[in-house]
Amino acid sequence: MSTEAKSEILARIRGALQDSPPVPEVRRTYRRVSEQSAADTLAMLEDRLLDYRATVHHESAASAPERIAELLGPTAHYVVPDGLDLGLLPGDRGGRQRIVESRDARFGSILTVRELNEVDAVVTSSTVSCAETGTIFLSGRADEGRRAISLVPDHHICIVPTDSVTELFPEALARVEPTAPITMISGPSATSDIELERVEGVHGPRRLDVILLS
């Protein structure tokens, strides 16, 4: 495209925008603050996740390593982001092996998509969760890692601190950095696009285990 043609196109766009009517104010009459108890909100999230075919486990910081070891199995090779609290993870024993991925290649490994596809699982934390929709938000924080590590491995173990659970979507979205790369998870990856038959593992992990960490 020539410079003259581009200038003409942009000039027409600017002219069209000048003639646009003012944008009306959006009426936000929906609920933006929850009046539900924390216990009821947590129960709602668990109900939604189970409905989406995820599995849910209630753990403390002391019991989480044993539960995660059970979910991983004795021989799993799994990846974790470098900011995750390693005290929540089981020790490497037998054939089980932990791979810590650094966000900076100078200080550790950054796995290729092919390498991520070969690991058995990933363990991450989460930013916030919305009980109303059963949605877990990841936003690329140090304890969550880049988007690829939560999308490529077939098994995702996601740690959800109970104090990060909200009832309403506006409450959850308010806790996320606006410019962050958000990944929203509502159960294992699944689609029914082809002949309305449910197929899991198409766009992300086939298996989702959620640790509700008190």
Side-chain angles (χ1 to χ4, degrees):
M1 180 183 295
S2 68
T3 304
E4 293 79 5
K6 181 178 179 181
S7 299
E8 182 180 353
I9 292 171
L10 293 176
R12 289 184 180 182
I13 292 174
R14 284 192 291 269
L17 292 175
Q18 289 175 358
D19 296 333
S20 299
V23 178
E25 182 179 352
V26 178
R27 297 182 60 191
R28 304 186 186 278
T29 56
Y30 51 82
R31 288 193 306 148
R32 303 176 71 180
V33 179
S34 173
E35 297 179 356
Q36 187 168 255
S37 70
D40 287 345
T41 299
L42 202 62
M44 179 188 288
L45 176 66
E46 181 173 2
D47 179 70
R48 299 291 194 275
L49 289 170
L50 292 174
D51 192 48
Y52 291 145
R53 301 189 187 181
T55 58
V56 180
H57 311 270
H58 292 262
E59 305 296 338
S60 66
S63 65
E66 183 176 354
R67 173 66 70 184
I68 292 174
E70 175 187 322
L71 295 173
L72 288 170
T75 61
H77 287 201
Y78 67 103
V79 62
V80 299
D82 59 0
L84 188 66
D85 180 2
L86 299 184
L88 298 173
L89 301 175
D92 287 349
R93 59 182 65 176
R96 189 166 56 234
Q97 180 182 348
R98 178 197 310 153
I99 304 165
V100 179
E101 182 181 89
S102 172
R103 292 183 297 169
D104 190 329
R106 295 173 299 173
F107 303 109
S109 62
I110 296 214
L111 303 180
T112 65
V113 172
R114 185 181 297 275
E115 290 170 331
L116 283 172
N117 194 47
E118 292 175 352
V119 301
D120 299 301
V122 57
V123 183
T124 74
S125 186
S126 57
T127 302
V128 65
S129 297
C130 173
E132 186 177 42
T133 60
T135 304
I136 301 169
F137 290 65
L138 274 61
S139 61
R141 300 189 312 182
D143 56 356
E144 299 161 9
R146 60 193 175 106
R147 298 183 71 180
I149 71 170
S150 63
L151 294 176
V152 178
D154 204 43
H155 180 195
H156 184 187
I157 300 173
C158 189
I159 299 170
V160 174
T162 54
D163 60 3
S164 72
V165 178
T166 67
E167 181 197 355
L168 305 175
F169 202 88
E171 293 176 308
L173 203 58
R175 296 195 187 189
V176 181
E177 175 64 36
T179 59
I182 303 174
T183 302
M184 298 183 189
I185 302 169
S186 296
S189 168
T191 183
S192 299
D193 290 344
I194 301 175
E195 297 184 359
L196 299 180
E197 292 189 8
R198 180 182 172 95
V199 179
E200 297 182 350
V202 176
H203 310 110
R206 195 186 317 267
R207 177 182 171 190
L208 175 64
D209 285 297
V210 178
I211 305 287
L212 294 178
L213 187 69
S214 61

